[in-house]
Amino acid sequence: KKIILFKKEGTVMAKVVTADEAIKLIPDGATVLIVPMPSEEVYPAFARVYEKTGHPKDLTVVWAAGLGPLNEEPKGMNHFAVPGMVKRIICGHAGLNHKILKFIASNQVEAYNLPQGTMCQLYREIAAGRPGLLTTVGLGTFIDPRYGGGKVNERTKNCEDLSEIVVIDGKEYIFYKAFKCDVGIIRGTSADPYGNITVEREALIMEILEGAMAVKNSGGFVIAQVEKLRDKPAKPYEVKVPGVFVDYIVVASSPEAHPQTLFVQYDPSFCGEVHADLEKELPIMPLNFEKVIARRAFLELKPGMVINLGFGIPMGVARVAYEEGLFEKIKMTTEIGVIGGVPETGKNFGPAKNPEAFISQSAMFDFYDGGGLDITCVGMAQVDEEGNVNVSKVGSIAIGPGGFINLTQSAKKLVFCGEFSAKG
């Protein structure tokens, strides 16, 4: 049953619908902007509706950060590895979604990788009606239109460029072109009677506002998955996406369809509901090669530094800093918008225990790109004798750069952490 939540002077602000009803509204050939949070009520509906009806088809699906189970399970972005349903993928990272990796490698889809932070920032340009984003991020890398423009498989080589080189006062920039967004998929904790979206139980807020605004100002519609509906209006300071940017609301049918992360159903220390006792919850890291590397990277940290840690071995640096008593004198951040706390390690990378603040991913990359980051510790897949580093593509597998390019082209100091023994 569709329920009109709010109506004033003939204007319908938002409707509650099922996930299948929402997906049936998407036209063929649409560009779908997904803010990648674990919306496991809405995402599965795409393939389910397509299998039943043959629509929507020929979609362009856009996401920035990766969200996936690190295997081929039907979770996260793996839901979109459907031939015919999806024609093109534009993403910052795909490595956590093994079905997507095979989908791209087998040339079943057109595929572009762009820097994760640049994509989030581009959403704001789209929302503001500007022609695109001008930045130095990506120069000299495979994202540079002179070196491939982020096209990551054979099928995409003859497709149009999504960026171009611009010279201003003798300095080169990459201009990432704006594009029209037809549908937006976002997520929050609750929706109030006005359709306002709150995030009180979320581990991250990502770029839900920027994504919703980009879609609405492109003339599209926004679908928001929430855990529950509120009977009374939310307090203004609780609202992260105002109802004027939301068209349809899908309420999760079970807790499993609305997990806090793909690997944790709910941890109250991720959202500040409780303050975790870190001494009890963080076991001492075993002394293995990963800890040796993390300890060496830790020696580069100094009190007062603002720090970013990448996926993989670098995540151990936070644990070593905590063990060594430096943690209270530095500030850890993650590119997806978490400030303070102890970043999660392993598959659950992204949230942090006892975070101090959340900002949008777009705002965090503004801070990084502007030079605010003192040091980043990142991983590596390949390094040559000249110090060139590859993290984005191994053979035919297009992992994507994630935030790596933004981070390494802006941080004051770079520490690369790896074991130099690929595949054992």
Side-chain angles (χ1 to χ4, degrees), residues 268-272 274-278 338-342 352-357:
S269 73
F270 289 172
C271 60
V274 303
H275 196 82
D277 184 342
L278 297 179
V338 179
I339 297 175
V342 181
K353 287 187 176 294
N354 301 345
E356 296 176 20

Side-chain angles (χ1 to χ4, degrees), residues 33 117-134 178-179 181 206-215 217-218 359-367 369:
L33 189 161
T118 300
M119 290 187 66
C120 299
Q121 294 162 334
L122 182 59
Y123 299 164
R124 291 190 309 211
E125 304 304 307
I126 295 170
R130 292 187 281 265
L133 178 69
L134 196 65
F179 50 84
C181 305
M206 304 293 284
E207 62 279 5
I208 53 175
L209 176 60
E210 293 87 346
M213 290 177 66
V215 172
N217 280 357
S218 292
I359 62 176
S360 76
Q361 186 171 204
S362 308
M364 184 62 86
F365 276 107
D366 285 343
F367 175 67
D369 289 355

Side-chain angles (χ1 to χ4, degrees), residues 259-386:
Q260 198 177 32
T261 78
L262 287 182
F263 304 99
V264 174
Q265 184 60 45
Y266 184 68
D267 185 330
S269 73
F270 289 172
C271 60
E273 186 176 329
V274 303
H275 196 82
D277 184 342
L278 297 179
E279 286 194 14
K280 293 181 179 179
E281 297 207 21
L282 298 181
I284 299 295
M285 284 183 69
L287 186 56
N288 54 22
F289 76 90
E290 292 190 9
K291 187 169 188 177
V292 171
I293 296 170
R295 283 182 60 85
R296 180 61 189 88
F298 158 78
L299 296 177
E300 300 299 317
L301 308 186
K302 302 291 184 281
M305 279 187 166
V306 177
I307 300 157
N308 169 274
L309 301 178
F311 184 74
I313 293 176
M315 294 187 288
V317 177
R319 296 292 178 91
V320 172
Y322 180 76
E323 292 174 16
E324 296 294 333
L326 185 66
F327 206 81
E328 296 300 322
K329 300 176 183 178
I330 57 178
K331 197 66 64 182
M332 292 288 178
T333 66
T334 65
E335 59 260 37
I336 44 186
V338 179
I339 297 175
V342 181
E344 283 287 276
T345 60
K347 291 183 177 181
N348 210 40
F349 177 74
K353 287 187 176 294
N354 301 345
E356 296 176 20
F358 294 151
I359 62 176
S360 76
Q361 186 171 204
S362 308
M364 184 62 86
F365 276 107
D366 285 343
F367 175 67
Y368 289 169
D369 289 355
L373 191 60
D374 293 306
I375 186 171
T376 183
C377 302
V378 291
M380 55 192 182
Q382 296 174 317
V383 183
D384 69 15
E385 67 265 32
E386 295 179 348

